[in-house]
Amino acid sequence: MPRFLHTADWQMGRTYSRFETEDSAALSEARYQAIERLAALATEHQCDAVLVAGDVFDAQTVSDRTIRRVFNATQGFSGPWVMLPGNHDAALAESVWTRAKRLDAVPENVHLALKSGTTPLPEQGLAVLAAPLTQRHTYGDLTQPFEQMTTPPGLLRIGLAHGSVQGVLPDDIDSTNPIAPDRTETANLDYLALGDWHGLKEINERTWYSGTPEPERFRNNEAGYVLVVDIEEPGAAPRVTPHETARYRWHQWRETLSVASDLDELIQRINQLPEASVLDLKLNGTLTLAGEQKLTEALSIAEARFRSVTCDRSGLQLEPTDDDIAALQADGYLGEVVQELRQSQQETDNSEGAEIARDALAILAGLLTSKDPEAAR
């Protein structure tokens, strides 16, 4: 029974400029480790081939070192690999693929599907019908020629394409590189392995997106998997098994804090995250000075545990309680300043002014607390 591994959207050479240098390097390195993990999975599960449905590289301009490292990372699986150009690494006349060939970086067991056509793998029982992108965007369905492609008798007809299944994916990514939702039927395919959508997604029992093996953005779309596909014989229904490959999990939370219990629940959720987390927070609402100090401490602990933590507090207003002010012992002039900053948050006409007042209040509270440690207790 033929068995193959379906993966896509490696986006090798991707940079993470929004992160600190150390975190950016770790996230980039995790993508090479993902290739090594899926190669090991293919070997462990005795797969006959690995099919990569486009966007192996994030750009045509990736370094020679990146090209070599990508192909080096495939060494854990000695069977055939079939790699398809996607919209990020389209098979242009001069492309990342032609450079890879000139560098002699492509192993003998890696087949580059740079032209529309069939890659027969008779020993593996597969015939791979490829629809490579030869430019970044097209408006015609490149999988339509599958209907006229002939394959040797007895081999599974496996389509390999990169694009948007029409009428299924969100409208904002449903305009270029279209793919008919019934292509497996019209082209008599046993399976259609797709890339472009970065999350795991079943279109129908024979048509799947594997998603990227390592998440690279904040989107709740089941990224971080590869698919092992078993098909007993031509015409039989595929058995598709997802396998998790992600090193890091990305979490983006948008929270509104109103009462003390909201902050307690948020901190509890943060503490429950695994260490291999990338966390992006944006907070709105109100917070007492005691709550601000509690939040700051919790985020400091999280920053030491997780791969990356960012927190936008610009939507938070600090509202000192009478107990906060009493604990700060901000009498006289200092007490007046605290009250003025408290009022400025609410009365300023622009968000920048409110943020400045909030930050000033937090800094002042921190200074007063550091002078009197008992005030924080």
Side-chain angles (χ1 to χ4, degrees):
M1 175 173 62
R3 172 181 293 167
F4 58 89
L5 188 146
H6 167 200
T7 181
D9 298 291
W10 294 356
Q11 312 293 145
M12 303 307 297
R14 185 181 182 92
T15 58
Y16 299 89
S17 57
R18 64 171 292 179
F19 295 98
E20 297 291 337
T21 301
E22 179 184 349
D23 296 330
S24 175
L27 293 171
S28 296
E29 190 64 24
R31 307 199 73 76
Y32 293 102
Q33 295 167 355
I35 301 175
E36 293 170 353
R37 280 194 293 276
L38 68 87
L41 268 172
T43 298
E44 176 187 351
H45 291 275
Q46 299 181 331
C47 292
D48 296 295
V50 174
L51 310 183
V52 191
D55 282 359
V56 171
F57 298 97
D58 191 56
Q60 302 285 3
T61 55
V62 298
S63 68
D64 290 354
R65 180 173 185 267
T66 294
I67 294 173
R68 293 185 189 279
R69 288 197 67 192
V70 166
F71 291 109
N72 286 345
T74 67
Q75 293 176 0
F77 177 69
S78 59
W81 298 69
V82 182
M83 294 187 178
L84 183 84
N87 58 308
H88 281 257
D89 54 8
L92 310 176
E94 175 62 29
S95 69
V96 64
W97 304 104
T98 56
R99 276 203 293 137
K101 287 183 174 181
R102 282 201 302 272
L103 291 170
D104 196 25
V106 185
E108 292 184 359
N109 62 323
V110 176
H111 305 266
L112 303 183
L114 305 184
K115 296 181 179 180
S116 177
T118 303
T119 301
L121 301 173
E123 293 184 10
Q124 289 73 29
L126 306 173
V128 181
L129 290 67
L133 285 166
T134 55
Q135 58 190 42
R136 187 174 178 88
H137 299 302
T138 65
Y139 294 91
D141 187 344
L142 299 182
T143 66
Q144 194 279 329
F146 289 174
E147 297 178 4
Q148 285 74 49
M149 291 183 188
T150 59
T151 53
L155 299 186
L156 298 178
R157 287 171 60 86
I158 309 298
L160 191 62
H162 190 89
S164 303
V165 175
Q166 298 297 281
V168 176
L169 301 181
D171 292 339
D172 60 342
I173 60 168
D174 201 12
S175 56
T176 60
N177 309 325
I179 296 173
D182 62 347
R183 184 59 66 215
T184 55
E185 298 176 17
T186 62
N188 191 32
L189 299 177
D190 293 292
Y191 184 85
L192 178 54
L194 296 178
D196 195 32
W197 179 249
H198 284 205
L200 175 63
K201 191 173 184 65
E202 177 184 7
I203 304 302
N204 56 54
E205 70 169 355
R206 296 186 186 277
T207 306
W208 288 71
Y209 286 97
S210 65
T212 179
E214 181 65 31
E216 86 293 6
R217 63 182 71 171
F218 295 107
R219 182 175 288 174
N220 185 21
N221 63 352
E222 296 299 318
Y225 293 89
V226 298
L227 302 175
V228 172
V229 183
D230 294 277
I231 306 177
E232 189 168 348
E233 59 185 1
R239 185 171 76 247
V240 181
T241 306
H243 291 267
E244 187 171 4
T245 52
R247 170 69 177 90
Y248 297 108
R249 285 296 175 186
W250 294 47
H251 308 272
Q252 187 174 59
W253 297 348
R254 301 294 180 255
E255 306 291 335
T256 298
L257 306 178
S258 301
V259 295
S261 60
D262 292 338
L263 178 59
D264 292 338
E265 290 174 6
L266 173 63
I267 292 174
Q268 183 179 18
R269 287 174 60 201
I270 292 174
N271 292 338
Q272 289 173 346
L273 289 175
E275 291 185 4
S277 292
V278 178
L279 176 62
D280 176 68
L281 284 172
K282 185 172 184 178
L283 303 179
N284 295 287
T286 59
L287 207 57
T288 66
L289 291 184
E292 166 77 8
Q293 293 166 9
K294 190 175 184 179
L295 174 63
T296 298
E297 181 180 3
L299 291 176
S300 178
I301 294 172
E303 287 169 356
R305 285 185 58 218
F306 303 151
R307 177 69 271 163
S308 173
V309 177
T310 55
C311 183
D312 180 357
R313 306 193 210 183
S314 60
L316 273 180
Q317 281 196 354
L318 291 184
E319 293 192 353
T321 64
D322 292 339
D323 289 340
D324 285 335
I325 296 173
L328 293 175
Q329 299 180 8
D331 299 326
Y333 175 72
L334 285 177
E336 292 176 7
V337 171
V338 170
Q339 293 293 359
E340 287 178 7
L341 290 172
R342 179 181 182 182
Q343 189 173 0
S344 294
Q345 290 183 111
Q346 301 170 344
E347 294 181 353
T348 185
D349 293 331
N350 61 82
S351 59
E352 183 179 357
E355 186 174 354
I356 291 172
R358 181 190 66 80
D359 289 345
L361 186 55
I363 291 170
L364 180 58
L367 290 172
L368 291 172
T369 300
S370 65
K371 288 182 178 180
D372 182 9
E374 292 298 324
R377 297 181 182 176

